[in-house]
Structures are given as C-alpha cells and as structure tokens.
Amino acid sequence: MTRVLGVDFGATYAKLVVLDVDGGQRHVVASDTVPTGARDDPEQVTARIAGLGRALLDAHGDATAVGVGLPGLFDETGGIVLFPNLPAAWVGHRIGEQLGAALGAPAHLINDARAFTLAESRMGAAAGASTVLCVTLGTGVGGGVVIDGKLRFGRLGRAGEIGHQVVEADGPPCGCGNRGCVESFATSAELCRRAGQDSPEGVFAAAASGDAQAATAVAGLVSRLAQGIGNLVTVLWPELIVVGGGVANAGEQLLGPLRAAVAAAAPLVDPASYRIVAAVLGSSAGAIGAALWAGEHTSDHVTG
C-alpha cells in the first residue's frame, strides 16, 4: 500500500487529502481545508499549507510523495512557479522544494485542471473509460484529455488547455494573450457580467425564472463552450466528456443545452457514441488528482 498527500492550491483555499493506494484500490483516508491567503508572502502561505499537511500525516501516517495542484504554469523539474493565476510574488517561488522539505517526501507539481481530470478519470465520473475529455468551468476554463487511459501531458506538461482554443477570430482578449478563446466567453465572471448577476447561481436562477438577459448569457456560454468541446469530440471521439467546476453546479440546466449544442457542433460524430456528464468528486477532485499524480509520477506519464 502507498500513502500519498494531495494539495489543491486555490487562490482562496487549499484542499488537502490523504490517499491510500493499494493496487487498483484507492481510498481517501482524510481531508481538510486551510485558507490560502494567496496575497500573503508565498513562503508564509506554503508554510501554512505544510503545517496542515504535517498534522494530517502525523494523524494518519507518513506519505511517500506529495502532489501539488497549481493554477497556472510551473517548472516541474525545479518545483518552481512560473506563470500562476496568483499574485506576481509567486513567480519563481520554489513551492515544491519548500513543501517537500517540510513534509519529508518528494513533491510533484501538476496543473490543477489536469489534477481534476486525473481524479475524475481514475476515481470519478469517468472511472474505467479509455478516452475522456474533462472541463472545469469557474474562474477560468481548464481541462484535460485522457487517451487510452493515460492523461495526456505533452512534452512540457502543458497539453490539455481546452479553454484556450480560439472560437472567434479577433474576439475578446483572453488572459493567455490570444483573443476569442473559449475562456474569454465562458468564465464565471464573464457569465455574470453578461447576465447582470452577482453569481453563477444567480444567473441560472434568473434564467430559469424567465429573465431574458440571463437566458441570453447562458446560451452564449453554452454556444462557445460547445464549439470547443465539439472540436475535440471530432478529433478524439471520446467516450465521456466530464464537466465540473462552480458554473457546472447548475447541473442539467447547463448540461442539457450543452449536449444538444455539442451534437450540432460535431456533426460527424454520432452523439450516441459519447456522453456528457457532471463531475462527481466535488471540491476534493483537485486534491485527489494531485495525490494520484504523486503516486503515479513516472517519466512515461510526463511524456504520455
């Protein structure tokens, strides 16, 4: 049996899980959450997360490795933050080295959306499926691709950026530096702005009650997201598309129209050959995926 610790590093909270892996059996032993305070000094924030991790391991046994899910880009070899969706002070921070030293185990970094994908494909809605697309809808639009049971990373570990497909030439600016990406249309903030509401929950509630502005905003998000998913469905013919994140909490109010829109956007693919489903692991998915990555971290996964 292998015990690993997973950390999902968010701008507001960090979620931690202790995961036991015994062959094909995986079990979450414990979990906890700590406020991140991402605007604080990075070393202080990392020490705060390490303190909770140490407490969990003291209670449940030492880990052989630590996985850290980060929002953004990083240097896996050096465990260094490169381009985070966090304050600028985090650039260059050696989070892997600091966490590894504090917890007495090697730390391995993974993008938070790829961690979500790994968790849902191993232990969640897509467990047992061979080819899977996963999409997270929230502050950004993240994702990942599983092909023949293996999470696709690409040479630098950055494959799977579903949200950064261009779906409208010369469209709105995107944080990646391009224009017209799926993410520039489908974030929670953009949805709320277009609907004139304060939260995604408010947007979907207003749309359900007949508010025309909110309904138009939801339809616009669905249309652009379906273009991006439809592109990948046509290329990869996945068995499952798993949708998670805060915006996806709308459930069938989002997924129902999305299924119809993806079918229209991918006319060469029989809609009966794939399913679009909700993620099932909730807020723990990122930390579970980070823990799985730590346990499965080998060179063939990096290049797969």
Side-chain angles (χ1 to χ4, degrees), residues 96-97 99 101 158 192 214 231 287 303:
E97 180 179 298
L99 279 176
R158 299 175 189 176
C192 292
N231 290 341
T303 60

Side-chain angles (χ1 to χ4, degrees), residues 16-181:
L16 286 77
V17 302
V18 178
L19 185 73
D20 280 354
V21 181
D22 188 1
Q25 300 299 312
R26 306 173 182 94
H27 175 64
V28 175
V29 176
S31 64
D32 209 340
T33 303
V34 62
T36 306
R39 295 193 177 279
D40 294 345
D41 178 76
E43 290 198 8
Q44 294 178 352
V45 175
T46 306
R48 188 157 55 237
I49 294 170
L52 178 58
R54 185 70 265 166
L56 286 170
L57 296 180
D58 286 345
H60 300 283
D62 285 340
T64 59
V66 178
V68 186
L70 289 174
L73 304 180
F74 50 84
D75 172 15
E76 161 68 11
T77 302
I80 303 170
V81 179
L82 294 179
F83 184 74
N85 295 321
L86 296 167
W90 284 90
V91 176
H93 178 55
R94 295 181 175 275
I95 189 171
E97 180 179 298
Q98 186 177 350
L99 279 176
L103 297 171
H108 303 290
L109 311 187
I110 183 172
N111 174 269
D112 56 357
R114 252 71 83 204
F116 163 83
T117 301
L118 189 59
E120 290 289 344
S121 67
R122 295 283 191 274
M123 298 175 60
S130 177
T131 302
V132 180
L133 304 178
C134 288
V135 185
T136 59
L137 305 174
T139 304
V141 178
V145 179
V146 174
I147 300 175
D148 295 334
K150 182 183 290 187
L151 179 58
R152 176 69 181 170
F153 282 92
R155 285 188 61 248
L156 298 176
R158 299 175 189 176
E161 290 290 345
I162 291 172
H164 293 294
Q165 299 175 78
V166 175
V167 291
E168 181 179 304
D170 300 320
C174 181
C176 71
N178 213 334
R179 302 184 70 92
C181 294

Side-chain angles (χ1 to χ4, degrees), residues 284-304:
S284 294
I288 291 172
L292 288 169
W293 171 235
E296 298 181 5
H297 186 79
T298 58
S299 60
D300 66 329
H301 283 86
V302 175
T303 60

